[in-house]
Amino acid sequence: MSEQKKTNIILFSGDYDKAMAAYIIANGAAAYDHEVTIFHTFWGLNALRKDEPIQVKKTLLEKMFGKIMPRGPEKMGLSNMNFAGIGPKLIKKIMKKHNAMPLIDLIEMAEEQDINLVACTMTMDLLGLNKAELRETSQYAGVAAYLADAEDGGVNLFI
C-alpha cells in the first residue's frame, strides 16, 4: 500500500482570483486522494472570515483592521482589473455564464472533502481576528505546524 500524497498550500493573498486558484487546486488534489491543507495567513485569512459582523472585544487598531479587510470571500477584490469594485462583479457574471463555481462554493466543497482549512494564529493575533469571526470548520495553527506538514508534502504552493 502506498503512502498518501500530501498537498500544502499557503494562501497569503486576499485576492478573489488567487484564492479561487488555491481552492481549485486544493479540491482537485483532494479528488486525487491527496491529504490537503490550506494554510491561510495574512490577507488569505479573509477567505475564512464570516460575512456577518461578530461582536468581539477589540482594540481600536484591531477594529480598524476589521473594517478595512473584506468580510468573507465574496467581498474580496481581484488582483488585477478591480476597477473600484466593478471587476469582481464582472468576473462573477462571466463565471456564472460559463458555469464556473464561485469561491464560496469552492470553500464549501473543500469542507465537504475534509480539506484542512488552517488559520495562522500569529497573523490572527497581529490583525486582531478572533476565532468567532472565522468559519466553524477552521483549524488553528502556527508556522511550526505548517512546516511539519510541508516537510511531508509532495506538493507545496505559495499563493
Side-chain angles (χ1 to χ4, degrees), residues 3 7 12 17-18 41 46 55-57 62 65 90 94 106 110 112-113 116-118 126 130 140 146 149 151-152 154:
E3 194 174 308
T7 296
F12 175 85
D17 47 324
K18 292 178 182 178
T41 189
N46 292 318
Q55 296 301 315
V56 291
K57 188 174 177 142
E62 291 170 343
F65 268 124
L90 294 173
I94 292 167
L106 292 168
E112 290 167 12
Q113 294 198 83
N116 301 306
L117 305 180
V118 180
L126 288 174
N130 187 293
Y140 304 92
Y146 166 75
D149 281 346
E151 192 171 19
D152 296 334

Side-chain angles (χ1 to χ4, degrees), residues 22-138:
Y23 275 88
I24 289 168
I25 293 166
N27 281 302
Y32 280 97
D33 294 324
H34 287 218
E35 179 184 328
V36 182
T37 298
I38 304 176
F39 186 79
H40 301 75
T41 189
F42 285 91
W43 317 120
L45 282 168
N46 292 318
L48 296 178
R49 285 187 81 194
K50 294 177 182 172
D51 294 336
E52 70 275 2
I54 306 295
Q55 296 301 315
V56 291
K57 188 174 177 142
K58 293 187 176 207
T59 67
L60 179 62
L61 190 57
E62 291 170 343
K63 286 178 186 175
M64 288 173 54
F65 268 124
K67 293 268 188 228
I68 61 173
M69 292 189 321
R71 193 178 312 282
E74 292 305 309
K75 295 194 174 82
M76 295 166 71
L78 294 177
S79 59
N80 290 299
M81 300 183 292
N82 202 36
F83 302 128
I86 297 170
K89 289 179 179 72
L90 294 173
I91 196 74
K92 288 173 188 173
K93 184 176 181 177
I94 292 167
M95 287 169 53
K96 188 173 184 173
K97 179 181 175 186
H98 293 280
N99 296 317
M101 293 177 78
L103 178 56
I104 190 68
D105 291 352
L106 292 168
I107 293 170
E108 289 169 1
M109 179 187 282
E111 291 169 334
E112 290 167 12
Q113 294 198 83
D114 294 323
I115 290 174
N116 301 306
L117 305 180
V118 180
C120 177
T121 51
M122 183 199 71
T123 305
M124 287 176 65
D125 291 343
L126 288 174
L127 300 178
L129 288 172
N130 187 293
K131 289 180 180 181
E133 296 175 275
L134 302 182
R135 298 178 72 84
E136 282 77 16
T137 55
S138 300

